[in-house]
Amino acid sequence: MKQQTPDFQVQAFFKQQITKPGAPTTDEQKLQQRVWKMSIFRNTVWFVKGLQEYTKSGYEAAAKHFAPADLDVNLSGRSFMITGANSGIGKATAQEIANRGGIVHLVCRNKGRAEAAKEQIVEQSKNQNVHVHIVDMSSARQVWEFAQSFSQNNGLHVLINNAGCMVNDRELTEEGLEKNFATNTLGTYILTTALMPALKKAEDPRVVTVSSGGMLTHKLNVDDLQFEKGTFDGTMAYAQNKRQQVILTERWASQHKEIHFSSMHPGWADTPAVQSSMPSFHAKMQSRLRTEAMGADTVVWLAVSQAAVKQPSGLFFQDRKAVATHLPLACSRSSPQEEEKLQAVLEELALKFKP
């Protein structure tokens, strides 16, 4: 039986719209058809790749080549901030860091869930240095205020940008921003840039951003960052956001040499976010999905191991290895001008909400 991700389902709809029988073929429709064919190519290659590499069996195959000693570290005295840390990959990451003695700052939206996660992490790790901060990452002003306050009162060695959302209907925040973009891209941008001065004061500072292999199916579209044109789809918006995160990681690495930046794909993991945002995909793939700990493994490796910082800054990782950010022949590369525009637009928006 053929497996389908939401990407395939949505693109099937679009194909019907642009290739209706008897419809005249305009230049615009020809362009749409070329885009459609390339999208199908990317998704097909990506899904086959995912079945081989992103599943539980893919992790188990990769793990045979891991060096167990890489994670044999004492993190006492090192401070880690993890966004979206009350469940899933974020919580699993926080647990591993707490187990090794690190100071853990959980940045979460829901106070009740955050306190419950903290209690479980402390109980399992016997590490009392676990702290909760309540922040809505979709609120640009809140993120600014939190980052400024945190920097005044705490040191920070490692920032882990894990929080994310996939809202399937176009929804605006109270600040008038599309919610996926506000959370996944602008929130990440503001938190990272606002904490850079604090990170630069630390020894061996790092920023790890949890992206997604889904971004391989998309080319950066810098002219519609908030998905105001055409039919909205949350899966596509999410993939665009994740492409944006990878590009930002590359740019930050070239601009801030004092900090080691990395982005990564956790694979297809069985998390509450996947269950709620992609129920059809979860139902079909559940037996093949990775555990939360498997999804978190490379995040932890990038955040704590000495092997990770021996890799060049700015790379994209999967199962502790740097991997390509584009599929072969996928025509998904953006120009330097487009990437510069992305950063400029984000900076302008970020300043608009700075207290």
Side-chain angles (χ1 to χ4, degrees):
M1 180 177 176
K2 184 179 178 182
Q3 297 281 0
Q4 284 196 330
T5 66
D7 281 307
F8 283 98
Q9 296 163 0
V10 170
Q11 287 166 359
F13 168 79
F14 278 119
K15 185 179 181 184
Q16 291 174 353
Q17 303 308 303
I18 64 175
T19 59
K20 290 179 179 177
T25 305
T26 65
D27 289 343
E28 182 180 359
Q29 286 173 322
K30 288 178 181 177
L31 176 60
Q32 287 177 320
Q33 289 172 9
R34 284 198 294 270
V35 170
W36 156 253
K37 289 176 182 177
M38 181 52 66
S39 182
I40 280 290
F41 171 78
R42 290 179 195 150
N43 276 279
T44 302
V45 172
W46 173 77
F47 195 60
V48 171
K49 178 182 177 69
L51 289 172
Q52 294 173 338
E53 300 178 14
Y54 302 165
T55 54
K56 184 189 298 183
S57 61
Y59 173 85
E60 291 167 345
K64 293 176 182 177
H65 306 286
F66 291 173
D70 284 356
L71 299 187
D72 186 13
V73 293
N74 183 343
L75 302 177
S76 179
R78 285 184 66 77
S79 175
F80 298 78
M81 180 185 292
I82 307 158
T83 65
N86 64 278
S87 67
I89 289 168
K91 183 185 174 189
T93 299
Q95 185 70 65
E96 293 298 326
I97 291 170
N99 290 348
R100 291 164 174 78
I103 302 165
V104 179
H105 295 277
L106 311 176
V107 177
C108 307
R109 185 179 58 180
N110 184 291
K111 183 174 176 60
R113 293 175 187 168
E115 292 291 351
K118 172 186 172 179
E119 184 178 337
Q120 292 170 1
I121 291 166
V122 169
E123 182 180 355
Q124 290 183 33
S125 67
K126 311 304 178 189
N127 180 350
Q128 298 296 323
N129 262 321
V130 181
H131 311 277
V132 167
H133 308 271
I134 304 304
V135 184
D136 183 350
M137 289 297 296
S138 73
S139 170
R141 194 172 300 276
Q142 267 195 50
V143 175
W144 268 120
E145 290 171 348
F146 164 67
Q148 291 172 339
S149 173
F150 183 91
S151 297
Q152 291 171 2
N153 300 295
N154 304 274
L156 184 65
H157 294 86
V158 181
L159 168 63
I160 299 172
N161 291 311
N162 169 72
C165 70
M166 186 192 294
V167 180
N168 288 313
D169 296 309
R170 192 171 188 275
E171 181 181 328
L172 300 184
T173 67
E174 291 181 3
E175 295 167 334
L177 302 169
E178 192 278 318
K179 194 161 190 177
N180 293 291
F181 169 79
T183 305
N184 302 329
T185 301
L186 186 61
T188 296
Y189 179 85
I190 292 173
L191 186 64
T192 304
T193 54
L195 290 175
M196 278 187 197
L199 286 163
K200 289 179 180 179
K201 295 175 185 176
E203 181 183 353
D204 185 17
R206 310 184 192 188
V207 175
V208 181
T209 298
V210 180
S211 181
S212 169
M215 66 94 190
L216 293 168
T217 64
H218 282 257
K219 180 182 185 295
L220 174 68
N221 180 5
V222 77
D223 295 321
D224 190 23
L225 293 176
Q226 298 195 58
F227 317 105
E228 297 168 284
K229 304 171 185 176
T231 303
F232 179 82
D233 177 74
T235 305
M236 292 183 173
Y238 183 81
Q240 270 290 321
N241 297 157
K242 294 301 171 177
R243 170 64 72 187
Q244 292 156 11
Q245 289 179 343
V246 169
I247 290 170
L248 287 172
T249 296
E250 293 169 346
R251 291 187 66 81
W252 285 330
S254 68
Q255 296 163 354
H256 304 277
K257 304 292 189 183
E258 310 96 313
I259 302 172
H260 188 275
F261 292 89
S262 57
S263 59
M264 60 79 65
H265 174 42
W268 293 341
D270 191 352
T271 66
V274 170
Q275 294 170 28
S276 61
S277 299
M278 304 172 70
S280 177
F281 175 75
H282 180 265
K284 293 174 182 176
M285 295 292 294
Q286 186 173 9
S287 65
R288 305 178 74 169
L289 297 179
R290 299 180 177 199
T291 65
E292 294 171 347
M294 290 176 179
D297 176 82
T298 296
V299 186
V300 177
W301 183 81
L302 288 167
V304 311
S305 76
Q306 285 305 302
V309 288
K310 292 177 181 177
Q311 297 280 336
S313 183
L315 299 182
F316 178 64
F317 289 82
Q318 174 188 312
D319 292 334
R320 303 194 191 183
K321 287 179 62 177
V323 295
T325 56
H326 299 276
L327 296 170
L329 306 175
C331 300
S332 57
R333 296 181 187 277
S334 45
S335 69
Q337 292 77 17
E338 289 171 320
E339 295 177 4
E340 185 177 339
K341 182 178 178 181
L342 169 66
Q343 195 167 10
V345 170
L346 292 175
E347 180 65 14
E348 182 180 350
L349 267 176
L351 292 176
K352 177 181 176 182
F353 295 103
K354 187 175 182 179

